[in-house]
Amino acid sequence: MSVIAEVIKSRISANSYDTARSLTDAQIAELINLATHAPSAFNLQNWTFLAVRSTEAKARLLPLAFGQQKVMDAAVTFIVCGTLNPHATLPAALKPTLDAGIIDQSIYDMWLGAAQGMYQENPQLQRDEAIRSGSLAAMTLMLAAKGQGLVSTPMIGFDQAAVAKEFGLADDQIPVMLITVGYPGAANWPQKPRKAVNDVLQFV
């Protein structure tokens, strides 16, 4: 089995963390470095991450996550955000791709125009794109964590508005999900069985 297949098939959603082990700044930064290799439309990269790891910050997050203890026990909980107004940030986000010669000026200009036309007057599409991009980054983050011998879990059980207020998120930042990450504790389940491929795949 390939390394990536093993990572995918052995990843679990963890509820038990080793509270005695922490992550360094460098480890946290590397997880986010890997997470930012997720795909996004036009290479928008319309995501941001808050790493909640101090005891004080965890205590602030805990009631907003409805008292889920893993927020306290995990080494870090990432608040994964998708960002709105992606057409406004695309010129700067896409410029390195142009400078590297991956795309030429005509494609750069075409993508900027297409993004402007798609998103500028369409707040629902902006929100949809923020959720998509944040979700892709979150999944990539969880696979990166597994690849480094860590466990993680995605959390949708939290008060989005309260988290945004408590942690000073900007108006254009949507908290898509929380991702707890740390070293495994002793009480985690194995990966739960999945539906059969025949139940979810249709050839046309």
Side-chain angles (χ1 to χ4, degrees):
M1 185 182 298
S2 70
V3 173
I4 187 60
E6 176 61 27
V7 167
I8 291 169
K9 290 190 172 185
S10 61
R11 184 205 59 80
I12 64 167
S13 292
N15 284 303
S16 176
Y17 290 90
D18 184 345
T19 58
R21 301 186 71 182
S22 60
L23 296 177
T24 65
D25 289 359
Q27 286 176 297
I28 291 172
E30 178 59 12
L31 288 172
I32 297 306
N33 175 43
L34 294 170
T36 61
H37 285 73
S40 58
F42 300 106
N43 200 26
L44 289 167
Q45 304 172 69
N46 54 322
W47 43 53
T48 57
F49 309 85
L50 279 74
V52 179
R53 65 169 186 169
S54 71
T55 301
E56 178 271 334
K58 290 177 180 181
R60 289 161 51 203
L61 181 58
L62 181 63
L64 309 182
F66 310 131
Q68 296 181 76
Q69 183 61 31
K70 56 195 165 199
V71 168
M72 296 300 298
D73 294 345
V76 58
T77 297
F78 293 100
I79 304 172
V80 181
C81 300
T83 56
L84 303 175
N85 302 311
H87 54 288
T89 57
L90 181 59
L94 199 55
K95 185 66 160 52
T97 305
L98 174 65
D99 293 342
I102 297 171
I103 61 174
D104 60 23
Q105 187 68 47
S106 65
I107 293 175
Y108 177 83
D109 293 340
M110 179 179 67
W111 284 12
L112 295 188
Q116 189 86 6
M118 287 173 62
Y119 300 118
Q120 186 172 22
E121 303 298 331
N122 195 333
Q124 183 61 57
L125 183 57
Q126 288 187 34
R127 182 175 177 83
D128 291 348
E129 204 65 73
I131 300 298
R132 275 192 288 265
S133 295
S135 297
L136 287 165
M139 187 70 249
T140 305
L141 172 58
M142 288 185 284
L143 292 176
K146 177 60 183 175
Q148 296 190 9
L150 305 169
V151 291
S152 63
T153 198
M155 299 173 60
I156 61 169
F158 66 98
D159 186 328
Q160 285 189 326
V163 165
K165 181 178 180 181
E166 179 65 30
F167 290 90
L169 300 184
D171 290 342
D172 65 351
Q173 291 178 292
I174 297 175
V176 174
M177 68 181 76
L178 308 180
I179 304 290
T180 52
V181 177
Y183 289 95
N188 286 311
W189 295 331
Q191 190 181 84
K192 295 177 282 296
R194 290 333 199 228
K195 292 180 179 180
V197 171
N198 287 343
D199 293 337
V200 298
L201 173 63
Q202 178 182 7
F203 290 100
V204 295

